[in-house]
Amino acid sequence: MPYQAKNYTHIQHIAFEAPTFSANTSGNDAYRSKLAGKINLPYPQNLSLDVKNRILTVVHLIQTACDTLIKNGSDVSTCLKVFTIPEFYFRPPQAEAACLDRSYSEATKNAIVKNLRSMLGRPDYKDWLFVLGSIIWTVKLDQMEGLNPITASVSDTDKGVRNTCICLLYTSDAADDLLCV
C-alpha cells in the first residue's frame, strides 16, 4: 500500500522516569513474575532477569498508557503519541561476561531489539513513536565492520569497544510524518 500522509494536529509526550541502574533491585524475581503474568516475552532466550525486567517494564508502561488513552477516549488518530524512556535505560548494572564495564553482549542487544520490535510493532500502536534510548553493548574489535585488525593492532586479549544501539521504534508511518515536519 502506498504511503499516505497523516494529518497529526497534536503530539502527546508520555515519559517514563526511572533510574538507569538495576531494574527493580537487580532483577527481583517477584517483580518479573508480576509482569510476566500480564506480558510474555516472545524471545526469552537466555536473558538475565534484569534484562527481562527492563523489557517487561517498558512494554507494561506502554500498554498501560495506551489502555488509559483508550479508556479516556483520548486515543485519536490525529495525535501522535511519543513515548520516551531515560537514556541508557538499557544498560546493565554490571558487565556481562567478556564485555566491557556495564555493557551487554551483542547477543543480548539483539535479543532486546528483537523482543521490543515484536512486542511494539502491532497495529494498536499505529500512531505511536517509541524513543527507547540507547542500548550499551560490547563488540569485539576484530568484528567491527570496516576495521582492519592488523593496522588497528587488535590482539586476542582485547575485549572490544562499547557501542550504543539507538532504539527508535515506530509503527505505521508515524515517524515519516514526524520527520517531514
Side-chain angles (χ1 to χ4, degrees):
M1 182 162 91
Y3 171 74
Q4 294 178 338
K6 301 227 181 208
N7 293 316
Y8 292 115
T9 58
H10 295 81
I11 294 178
Q12 183 173 17
H13 181 229
I14 304 164
F16 169 42
E17 181 182 358
T20 56
F21 47 87
S22 356
N24 193 52
T25 322
S26 208
N28 179 304
D29 198 34
Y31 180 71
R32 187 199 56 76
S33 297
K34 177 181 171 186
L35 290 175
K38 299 176 183 179
I39 308 165
N40 292 314
L41 282 178
Y43 307 101
Q45 298 171 338
N46 292 321
L47 296 174
S48 72
L49 203 49
D50 186 69
V51 172
K52 289 176 184 178
N53 280 355
R54 289 175 193 275
I55 296 169
L56 291 172
T57 298
V58 168
V59 173
H60 171 71
L61 292 171
I62 291 169
Q63 285 181 347
T64 300
C66 184
D67 292 345
T68 302
L69 292 174
I70 291 169
K71 181 180 173 186
N72 295 341
S74 56
D75 183 30
V76 294
S77 63
T78 56
C79 179
L80 176 64
K81 280 69 74 180
V82 180
F83 184 90
T84 60
I85 65 172
E87 183 66 12
F88 306 119
Y89 179 73
F90 286 104
R91 184 175 192 183
Q94 61 269 342
E96 288 188 352
C99 294
L100 296 175
D101 180 48
R102 291 193 64 206
S103 63
Y104 293 116
S105 66
E106 187 169 9
T108 298
K109 182 263 304 180
N110 291 339
I112 292 169
V113 171
K114 188 175 183 177
N115 276 287
L116 289 171
R117 280 190 176 148
S118 175
M119 298 169 86
L120 300 175
R122 302 186 337 228
D124 308 7
Y125 303 121
K126 67 179 179 189
D127 296 311
W128 287 72
L129 175 66
F130 303 108
V131 182
L132 304 179
S134 299
I135 301 171
I136 308 301
W137 59 288
T138 297
V139 63
K140 295 206 178 275
L141 287 171
D142 62 353
Q143 295 173 356
M144 286 186 69
E145 190 174 323
L147 179 70
N148 182 339
I150 296 167
T151 60
S153 300
V154 176
S155 72
D156 292 337
T157 59
D158 289 321
K159 282 189 174 180
V161 294
R162 259 194 318 239
N163 264 333
T164 57
C165 171
I166 306 299
C167 259
L168 181 67
L169 301 176
Y170 62 93
T171 57
S172 184
D173 297 314
D176 293 336
D177 293 334
L178 184 65
L179 297 174
C180 292
V181 174

